[in-house]
DNA sequence: TAAAAAAATGTAAACGATTTCATATTTTGT
DNA sequence: ACAAAATATGAAATCGTTTACATTTTTTTA
């Protein structure tokens, strides 16, 4: 169906080598008139090299695999968008796989993409990964002859580039903000216990308390699951503790918390200040607009593409650990105590 | 790096033909012992066929292109998720491209993916497409020798399978619900004027009014842009009209509307009933939970994959137009007049 | 003006599979 | 016991490129 090199060569009365040389702008000096003739013919016949045949030789597909827990999660889809667009700028396409946060699926996609011949893999592995899984991943990465980037996850003893957000600092910033406003009894609504980002935020919370010489009180911590429902439950649990402020480890739980406050006629921020985490699109639309911590999604995605390009270029297996900072977004759900 | 057919063949002392025949389970009868020996060796060496070399012969890549306006839009990302997961089940991977709802990018990706050799393309084209763009797309599809599915968009005179949601019926169902509750003055907050889905919903609104013998009143229509801000503006515009119910053409605008109502101490649903459209994840969490129209996203994605598989199988260029129905999700933002 | 150097182009071998067709071996039927 | 049929396996072409190397042609140098 498609025009081939051979057809172009025949049409020009030259060999396929010559055409290929011209098209790839190789150092061999092809005379200007032959070059012009070939270029004209290529144009006229609308010749496009068959990328599969090219891949056959070059061992490159110009495709990167992106493995993530769930593209319908706004955080990941924003990330995926930034990655796709930046990769496309450099001539790469993205194939992606939803793991539904399953360990097994994460490895399955890794294998699948690897065997497919992608040029690189960007992976946001399942939150359920334990140390053994991480070791296994590390081993796979070691054995693979393509660059792999671990995104948004911490991999101890990693042997490849990782890019992540400093959640501990995020927790610190959020807590510091509340402390600066004069709050002393600050409740926390955390994520699931096995999730690193949640635990890191909690460490940041403790850091800030320590700095302010306020002793840590375990009973102020409500262990949630990142779902709005946790926010509702948290209120029940934390209200008797006379908290004046709440640090919700994500915005979704803050939304649940808001609802329950409204139901009980508790005013935000007059009676209780609330700070969230993530800055999802709706945070701004809550009543009152939610003060929150913004994730550097854009930077995260751009950095991933940048690092991948770097790793493609020089084939050294040097790796970097890049840590990006979240930032505070003050709106109206927090106020002076 | 990787094991090749040749290496397996050598290890077994047979020809590559024999190995290939065994692996592809071809009708040629290879003796059981040779077969077993080959299979054992394949297993032992962990041989995986090089998909590029296979593609070279079969002219198939097992990759489908998915072109959509913006994967960070929840509606599309949910769709993308369903498509990816179902496609993967059948051995296909998805490469995707964000067009940022640009006409130019839509065509660019179409070309790019096509030249890349994808086996099929699922396209949600830009909302900005005019008749000329659609004709151009139709022409491209005609000329392409791979199946193309138009998803979530109507393509007049189309020559390929289209799958879409009956937005007119959605508009009808929503309006009917309000009418059934006894409302007679129903305001509308529409999407942008050039967007077909919005116009269709408006037609459905008119259908329901006509059926109830209520004359259409243009002044009850506020032309929004699908952003929350429109909901806020709409309230200003529609309140003087003494509307008792509002049909917002998406949930985001309903959220804006909610906020403004709260600000002005207007109670939902006591003072005014509100129905949205889309059923985004947050609708359930609003105060009160939003009655809305649910898009059959799951069905849409599954159908796309199903039809694509069908088109891959029998190479006929028969095409279908599939229309899926939205449904009513009653929550607490609407009540009897 | 002939040899050497430079420039221009072509030949053919990869890449790693599938597949057609041929050939060698075994079994079957008479 | 021998031809025919059935079974088992292999040789080689092919897919559409890139590229190392060879070859031819032109230009330069002495």
């Amino acid at each position: 169906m498609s025009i081939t090199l051979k057809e172009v060569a025949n049409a020009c009365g030259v060999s396929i080598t010559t055409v290929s040389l011209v098209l790839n702008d190789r150092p061999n000096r092809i005379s200007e008139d032959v070059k012009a003739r070939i270029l004209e013919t290529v144009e006229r016949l609308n010749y496009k090299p068959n990328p599969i045949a090219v891949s056959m030789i070059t061992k490159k597909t110009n495709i990167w695999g992106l493995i993530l827990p769930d593209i319908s999660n706004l955080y990941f889809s924003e990330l995926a968008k930034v990655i796709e667009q930046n990769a496309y700028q450099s001539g790469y396409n993205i194939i992606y796989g939803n793991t539904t946060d399953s360990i097994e699926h994460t490895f399955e996609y890794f294998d699948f993409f690897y065997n497919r011949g992608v040029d690189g893999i960007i992976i946001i592995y399942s939150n359920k990964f334990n140390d053994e899984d991480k070791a296994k991943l590390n081993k796979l990465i070691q054995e693979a002859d393509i660059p792999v980037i671990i995104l948004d996850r911490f991999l101890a003893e990693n042997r490849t580039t990782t890019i992540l957000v400093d959640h501990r600092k995020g927790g610190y910033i959020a807590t510091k903000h509340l402390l600066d406003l004069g709050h002393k009894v600050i409740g926390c609504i955390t994520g699931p216990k096995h999730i690193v980002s949640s635990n890191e935020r909690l460490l940041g919370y403790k850091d800030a308390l320590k700095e302010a010489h306020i002793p840590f009180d375990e009973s102020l911590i409500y262990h949630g699951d990142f779902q709005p429902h946790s926010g509702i439950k948290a209120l029940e649990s934390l209200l008797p503790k006379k908290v004046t402020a709440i640090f919700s480890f994500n915005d979704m739980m803050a939304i649940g918390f808001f609802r329950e406050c409204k139901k009980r006629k508790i005013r935000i921020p007059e009676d209780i200040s609330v700070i969230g985490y993530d800055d999802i699109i709706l945070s701004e639309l809550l009543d009152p607009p939610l003060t929150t911590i913004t994730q550097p999604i854009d930077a995260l995605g751009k950095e991933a593409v940048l690092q991948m390009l770097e790793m493609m270029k020089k084939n050294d297996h040097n790796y970097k650990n890049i840590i990006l900072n979240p930032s505070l977004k003050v709106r109206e759900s927090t106020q002076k105590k």
Side-chain angles (χ1 to χ4, degrees), chain A:
Chain A
M1 350 256 176
S2 229
I3 302 294
T4 70
L5 248 201
K6 199 170 174 183
E7 297 176 76
V8 174
N10 287 342
C12 286
V14 297
S15 76
I16 58 168
T17 304
T18 307
V19 180
S20 176
L21 254 25
V22 167
L23 256 34
N24 292 298
D25 214 19
R26 275 298 132 98
N28 300 44
R29 319 126 272 210
I30 304 293
S31 65
E32 285 307 322
D33 57 334
V34 170
K35 195 168 185 170
R37 188 149 44 94
I38 289 174
L39 255 21
E40 183 272 328
T41 310
V42 162
E43 188 71 23
R44 183 164 51 79
L45 299 182
N46 189 29
Y47 166 77
K48 295 274 179 0
N50 178 327
I52 296 177
V54 175
S55 291
M56 192 81 192
I57 302 282
T58 61
K59 308 283 174 205
K60 296 273 171 240
T61 55
N62 287 325
I63 294 178
W64 292 343
L66 173 62
I67 301 172
L68 39 71
D70 176 10
I71 197 135
S72 75
N73 174 318
L74 197 62
Y75 179 72
F76 298 127
S77 64
E78 292 242 22
L79 207 43
K81 177 184 175 178
V82 177
I83 290 172
E84 188 276 321
Q85 297 203 313
N86 281 276
Y88 183 69
Q89 297 296 326
S90 302
Y92 290 92
N93 284 133
I94 301 292
I95 65 179
Y96 74 101
N98 286 289
T99 65
T100 57
D101 207 34
S102 133
I103 297 171
E104 199 186 321
H105 289 156
T106 305
F107 285 117
E108 203 177 311
Y109 272 113
F110 190 96
D111 262 25
F112 200 79
F113 286 172
Y114 181 72
N115 288 327
R116 243 197 178 307
V118 298
D119 294 347
I121 296 179
I122 298 173
I123 179 169
I124 305 176
Y125 60 72
S126 164
N127 260 317
K128 298 188 185 127
F129 262 44
N130 61 24
D131 288 345
E132 204 178 322
D133 299 318
K134 291 178 193 172
K136 183 175 165 193
L137 181 58
N138 248 332
K139 187 151 167 286
L140 282 174
I141 293 173
Q142 285 284 287
E143 287 165 358
D145 48 4
I146 55 170
V148 177
I149 285 179
I150 308 282
L151 192 58
D152 200 39
R153 297 284 187 260
F154 178 71
L155 192 63
E157 321 255 332
N158 68 298
R159 297 301 175 82
T160 194
T161 292
T162 63
I163 307 171
L164 45 84
V165 178
D166 191 341
H167 294 291
R168 183 167 188 163
K169 187 172 277 174
Y172 171 82
I173 293 171
T175 313
K176 181 78 160 45
H177 170 65
L178 296 173
L179 289 166
D180 287 348
L181 290 172
H183 295 281
K184 296 203 157 37
V185 188
I186 302 173
C188 267
I189 316 177
T190 75
K193 285 186 183 173
H194 65 275
I195 293 198
V196 176
S197 67
S198 173
N199 297 333
E200 288 290 311
R201 285 166 209 184
L202 188 57
L203 287 176
Y205 167 83
K206 290 178 181 173
D207 291 346
L209 286 187
K210 194 168 188 179
E211 194 180 272
H213 305 293
I214 296 178
F216 172 70
D217 177 357
E218 179 68 46
S219 74
L220 293 178
I221 309 301
Y222 177 83
H223 292 283
D225 63 357
F226 279 153
Q227 299 303 313
H229 185 74
S230 295
I232 298 174
K233 287 295 192 188
L235 181 59
E236 268 174 38
S237 159
L238 295 174
L239 210 50
K241 304 289 175 188
K242 305 224 186 302
V243 294
T244 66
I246 289 288
F247 171 21
S248 171
F249 282 17
N250 80 356
D251 289 352
M252 290 301 276
M253 296 191 296
I255 290 173
F257 191 84
F258 266 49
R259 272 214 58 197
E260 195 61 15
C261 281
K262 211 147 285 171
K263 197 175 267 173
R264 303 192 186 202
K265 308 282 183 216
I266 298 167
R267 293 165 307 162
I268 299 172
E270 293 81 354
D271 301 327
I272 196 163
S273 283
V274 178
I275 187 168
Y277 205 109
D278 279 351
D279 196 19
I280 61 177
I281 197 148
L282 272 128
S283 309
E284 197 176 351
L285 299 167
L286 293 177
D287 176 31
L290 180 68
T291 293
T292 190
I293 301 293
T294 302
Q295 303 260 28
I297 297 185
D298 218 71
L300 216 47
K302 279 187 179 147
E303 197 64 40
V305 172
L306 201 71
Q307 293 303 326
M308 188 59 98
L309 288 173
E310 199 109 326
M311 293 170 92
M312 307 252 82
K313 218 180 315 173
K314 37 185 193 147
N315 221 5
D316 63 353
H317 274 195
N318 272 1
Y319 54 90
K320 298 182 193 163
N321 296 312
I322 295 168
I323 298 179
L324 300 172
N325 287 326
S327 56
L328 178 66
K329 182 97 201 175
V330 180
R331 295 208 182 88
E332 297 164 31
S333 67
T334 49
Q335 73 168 33
K336 274 222 164 62
K337 169 73 176 40

